[in-house]
């Protein structure tokens, strides 16, 4: 008689063996060369679509989308998790208002992202961005109606006629604020999302976002359109974007969505296509960045699978040495183990806080040195690698783990407070914020300009600036030594409003939830002492 324990062990061993075999096959497929070659092939499609509307700026949805073109105008950050079923969300921490502003200025824009095998579009494009466009449209419509309601005929200084007034009121009432989703989203899911739109619109209105500027810039309501490699587009019937009665946000999914492994061959060698290869770059890129890839794309692609890894290692090392010689931050690369054309079809066009900084206030961004000035607060945020090039700041607060060489006239004008993200230390930011805010208060009270910097200028330094703005400035953005902060208790909504204000200037800001929690904890931990 067979031993049940031995049988169970044998079955478990078989399952484990199948699992190991599947992981081994996946590792063989997801090689560095396969990823780069897949990205390169998909980028050709992205280039072809962008040329159909050459006047529309091309934006990368961070981080995956950034791999798929060397010619991005700017970036945005729409998370797929905000579009997951039963987890739909409109984030006031990632308003991406610069995208709407840019679309209003240029007549639309194209956003690039990709997704893994088996899907045509990531949830960021299927639901997150459609929710975003709808909420913005609703808020703009409310603002336009409010402005028209406040204009009383016969009792205003404006020279606009009553007829023009009526025309504008009609335009605002007809401003399309309905939810436009692709046809593959079910009616049930659409109804559930529509039930939350009013709440999200109220949150946006309460956040302090500059809706007035958007209403002034946007002549037509925003609307998403979807294009993938399966979309059919008749080249002789491509419409001019100005002919539409809306401002198009063209959502371009770069990856092929076949559900099977695609083996591709050329005369020299064969390779396996990876859909959404740009995703999770830490697991496969071996220190290679999108900029480095596009600077050496021809050499890497023509090298083939056998030489690709060594060429990438050489490129990354040369770049590391180059930056090291110039005193820039050069962390050692840690390599993780590899993880196991064309008619817009009916299904794709429904009827219905890295890179160039395109903000609502363009004066806030210093292109020469890559920093963002936060209004008139004498406060700037940016990357630590660029701090040594900046000549128009008096003081520097360096939140990077690495020290930087600075030529400042005052030896006390530089404070280095090494901080790490909340994923590595849940209290790193919290423990350093008292010293950071006290340093900022001391310098700002003397009329000095202050730069707060970190490795990427997107997370830690943004959170430190948020703590400084909230604790040392009043609602009007005036430095008051912490008086208004000491007289009030900061709520989560207060913090969100300040973050929206900050992101108006630093449009590449991407503060993490864990770091924002630490800022909120600090702001509710006590008063700001006097200097």
């Amino acid at each position: 008689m067979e031993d049940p324990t031995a049988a169970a062990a044998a079955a478990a061993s078989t399952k484990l063996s199948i699992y190991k075999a599947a992981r081994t096959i996946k590792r063989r497929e997801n090689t560095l060369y396969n990823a780069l070659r897949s990205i390169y092939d998909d980028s050709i499609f992205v280039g072809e679509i962008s040329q159909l509307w050459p006047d529309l700026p091309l934006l990368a949805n961070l981080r995956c989308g950034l791999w798929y073109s060397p010619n991005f105008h700017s970036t945005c950050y729409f998370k797929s998790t905000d579009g997951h079923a039963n987890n739909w969300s409109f984030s006031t921490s990632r308003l991406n208002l610069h995208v709407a502003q840019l679309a209003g200025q240029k007549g639309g824009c194209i956003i690039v992202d990709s997704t893994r095998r088996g899907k045509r579009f990531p949830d960021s494009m299927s639901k997150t961005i459609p929710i975003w466009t709808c909420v913005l449209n609703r808020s703009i419509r409310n603002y336009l109606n409010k402005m028209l309601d406040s204009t009383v005929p016969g009792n205003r200084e404006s020279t606009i006629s009553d007829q023009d007034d009526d025309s504008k009121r009609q335009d605002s009432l007809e401003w399309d604020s309905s939810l436009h989703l692709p046809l593959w989203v079910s009616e049930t899911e659409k109804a559930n999302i529509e039930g939350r739109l009013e709440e999200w619109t109220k949150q946006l209105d309460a956040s302090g976002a500059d809706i007035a500027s958007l209403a002034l810039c946007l002549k037509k309501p925003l609307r998403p359109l979807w294009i993938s490699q399966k979309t059919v587009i008749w080249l002789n019937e491509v419409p001019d974007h100005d002919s539409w009665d809306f401002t198009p946000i063209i959502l371009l999914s770069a990856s092929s969505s076949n559900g099977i492994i695609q083996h591709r061959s050329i005369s020299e060698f064969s390779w396996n296509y990876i859909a959404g290869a740009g995703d999770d770059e830490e697991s496969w890129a071996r220190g290679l960045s999108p900029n480095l890839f596009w600077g050496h794309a021809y050499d890497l692609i023509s090298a083939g699978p056998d030489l690709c890894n060594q060429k990438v290692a050489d490129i990354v090392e040369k770049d590391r040495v180059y930056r090291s010689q110039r005193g820039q931050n050069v962390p050692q690369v840690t390599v993780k183990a590899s993880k196991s054309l064309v008619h817009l079809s009916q299904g794709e066009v429904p009827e219905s806080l890295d890179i160039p900084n395109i903000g609502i206030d363009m004066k806030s961004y210093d292109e020469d040195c890559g920093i963002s000035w936060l209004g008139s607060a004498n406060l700037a945020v940016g990357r630590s690698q660029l701090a040594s090039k900046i000549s128009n700041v008096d003081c520097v607060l360096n939140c990077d783990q690495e020290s930087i060489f600075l030529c400042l006239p005052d030896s006390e004008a530089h404070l280095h407070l090494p901080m790490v993200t909340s994923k590595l230390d849940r209290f790193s930011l919290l423990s350093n914020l008292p010293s950071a805010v006290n340093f900022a208060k001391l310098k700002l009270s003397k009329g000095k300009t202050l730069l707060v910097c970190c490795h990427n200028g997107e997370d830690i330094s943004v959170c430190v600036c948020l703590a400084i703005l909230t604790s040392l400035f009043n609602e009007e953005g005036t430095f008051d030594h912490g008086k208004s902060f000491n007289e009030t208790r900061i709520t989560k909504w207060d913090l969100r409003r300040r973050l929206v204000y900050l992101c108006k200037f630093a449009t590449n800001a991407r503060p993490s939830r864990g770091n924002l929690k630490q800022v909120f904890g600090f702001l509710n931990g006590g008063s700001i002492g006097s200097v």
Side-chain angles (χ1 to χ4, degrees), residues 83-155:
H84 287 176
N86 299 316
N87 192 48
W88 314 287
S89 177
F90 176 83
S91 174
T92 54
S93 300
R94 296 178 294 276
L95 282 179
N96 290 289
L97 295 184
H98 66 291
V99 178
Q101 181 80 5
L102 185 60
Q105 293 169 354
K106 302 295 185 179
C109 67
I110 302 173
I111 298 177
V112 178
D113 205 347
S114 70
T115 188
R116 292 293 186 178
R117 188 173 69 231
K119 296 179 65 177
R120 294 178 66 180
F121 292 87
D123 284 342
S124 61
M125 290 184 164
S126 293
K127 285 166 282 188
T128 303
I129 295 178
I131 289 171
W132 173 80
T133 59
C134 180
V135 174
L136 259 60
N137 283 335
R138 290 167 63 96
S139 187
I140 291 171
R141 182 199 61 185
N142 293 345
Y143 172 81
L144 292 175
N145 287 333
K146 186 186 300 182
M147 291 299 100
L148 289 173
D149 289 340
S150 65
T151 305
V152 181
N155 186 28

Side-chain angles (χ1 to χ4, degrees), residues 190-211:
K190 181 179 180 181
N192 287 331
I193 294 174
E194 287 176 328
R196 305 188 184 188
L197 291 174
E198 184 64 26
E199 175 191 351
W200 291 332
T201 304
K202 290 179 180 179
Q203 289 178 3
L204 175 60
D205 292 339
S207 71
D210 192 357
I211 301 302

Side-chain angles (χ1 to χ4, degrees), residues 436-453:
V437 171
N438 285 333
F439 177 78
K441 183 176 182 181
L442 177 64
K443 301 305 179 183
L444 294 173
S445 63
K446 297 178 180 179
K448 304 287 187 180
T449 56
L450 173 64
L451 168 67
V452 181
C453 58

Side-chain angles (χ1 to χ4, degrees), residues 219-412:
K219 306 305 180 185
K220 305 173 185 177
L222 300 167
R223 185 186 295 184
L225 305 177
W226 293 265
I227 296 180
S228 73
Q229 291 198 30
K230 284 190 174 181
T231 305
V232 178
I233 303 175
W234 300 113
L235 294 179
N236 61 341
E237 296 183 9
V238 175
D240 189 331
H241 64 85
D242 287 335
S243 67
W244 289 321
D245 60 355
F246 53 85
T247 302
I249 305 295
I250 298 176
L251 306 179
L252 178 53
S253 181
S255 51
S256 175
S257 58
N258 288 347
I260 59 175
I261 299 172
Q262 300 178 48
H263 299 283
R264 302 186 181 184
S265 299
I266 57 177
S267 57
E268 293 87 356
F269 40 77
S270 61
W271 54 283
N272 294 327
Y273 173 78
I274 303 174
D279 193 22
D280 192 23
E281 60 194 46
E282 290 88 355
S283 66
W284 60 266
R286 296 176 177 261
L288 193 70
S289 66
N291 282 340
L292 280 178
F293 168 62
W294 286 110
H296 303 84
Y298 178 79
D299 290 340
L300 289 171
I301 297 305
S302 60
D306 295 336
L307 300 178
C308 181
N309 284 18
Q310 185 57 51
K311 277 192 171 290
V312 167
D314 292 342
I315 290 169
V316 171
E317 179 61 18
K318 286 180 181 178
D319 179 68
R320 193 188 71 82
V321 171
Y322 176 87
R323 289 189 291 150
S324 177
Q325 291 173 343
R326 285 155 181 77
Q328 299 176 9
N329 183 41
V330 284
Q332 294 292 332
V333 176
T334 301
V335 179
K336 293 184 178 181
S338 299
K339 291 186 175 182
S340 32
L341 252 156
V342 297
H343 169 155
L344 298 179
S345 66
Q346 182 182 5
E348 293 172 316
V349 186
E351 292 184 356
S352 20
L353 278 156
D354 318 66
I355 309 294
N357 200 315
I358 309 299
I360 290 179
D361 187 348
M362 291 301 295
K363 295 179 181 178
S364 69
Y365 185 71
D366 191 332
E367 293 182 354
D368 294 332
C369 54
I371 64 173
S372 300
W373 289 96
L374 308 184
S376 58
N378 280 345
L379 189 63
V381 62
R383 291 185 291 155
S384 55
Q385 296 94 324
L386 303 174
S388 60
K389 301 179 182 179
I390 301 170
S391 58
N392 58 339
V393 297
D394 302 316
C395 311
V396 174
L397 172 56
N398 178 23
C399 306
D400 200 342
Q401 286 184 275
E402 305 291 333
S403 60
I404 53 178
F405 176 76
L406 297 169
C407 293
L408 297 173
D410 184 0
S411 60
E412 296 183 353

